[in-house]
Amino acid sequence: QVQLAESGGGSVQAGGSLRLSCAASGRTFKWIHMGWFRQAPGKERDFVAAITWTGGDTVYADSVKGRFTVSRDNPKNTVYLQMNSLKPEDTAVYYCAALARTTDWGTKDPGNYYGWGQGTQVTVSS
């Protein structure tokens, strides 16, 4: 079972940037497709971005396309989410997770992911 830990959140003004990190345990990290999700108070957990194990393919939610970039550094067992041009509506707890089945690549359903960490809070003020 993969274990994940998110970090890098904080409070920024609208238009600012943050870089989130997702540190994974285990030697199998190289072979796992990863995703980022976020959840605001009182709302469902929504898909943000995903990346294949090689980093060769990515997918983004329409709401973050062109502003966020997902990447990974497999030797460091870490996935990143670079967030630019942040908006107040980006305020949420951000989570990373592992895709359970490689054949489900492209799904935006959090039910297909596992290994959720504690999350990291991102707050964007106007």
Side-chain angles (χ1 to χ4, degrees):
Q1 186 80 7
V2 65
Q3 293 184 330
L4 305 171
E6 303 90 344
S7 63
S11 298
V12 298
Q13 294 182 333
S17 298
L18 284 173
R19 191 190 196 195
L20 307 183
S21 297
C22 172
S25 64
R27 298 173 62 186
T28 61
F29 177 74
K30 177 182 178 181
W31 314 109
I32 300 174
H33 301 339
M34 300 292 297
W36 284 96
F37 294 77
R38 65 187 182 185
Q39 188 167 21
K43 298 183 179 180
E44 295 183 343
R45 187 166 299 185
D46 292 328
F47 174 83
V48 176
I51 187 169
T52 56
W53 75 269
T54 64
D57 196 16
T58 58
V59 62
Y60 297 92
D62 290 341
S63 59
V64 306
K65 196 171 300 181
R67 300 188 298 120
F68 291 10
T69 302
V70 61
S71 61
R72 67 192 299 162
D73 187 340
N74 287 338
K76 295 183 178 180
N77 291 341
T78 303
V79 178
Y80 302 99
L81 184 67
Q82 179 66 47
M83 306 185 296
N84 299 325
S85 302
L86 283 163
K87 305 175 181 179
E89 49 263 47
D90 295 319
T91 296
V93 177
Y94 283 71
Y95 301 88
C96 64
L99 186 65
R101 301 178 184 272
T102 58
T103 52
D104 284 334
W105 169 249
T107 181
K108 298 181 179 180
D109 184 355
N112 293 323
Y113 288 79
Y114 73 100
W116 305 94
Q118 186 176 359
T120 184
Q121 175 70 233
V122 172
T123 302
V124 185
S125 60
S126 60

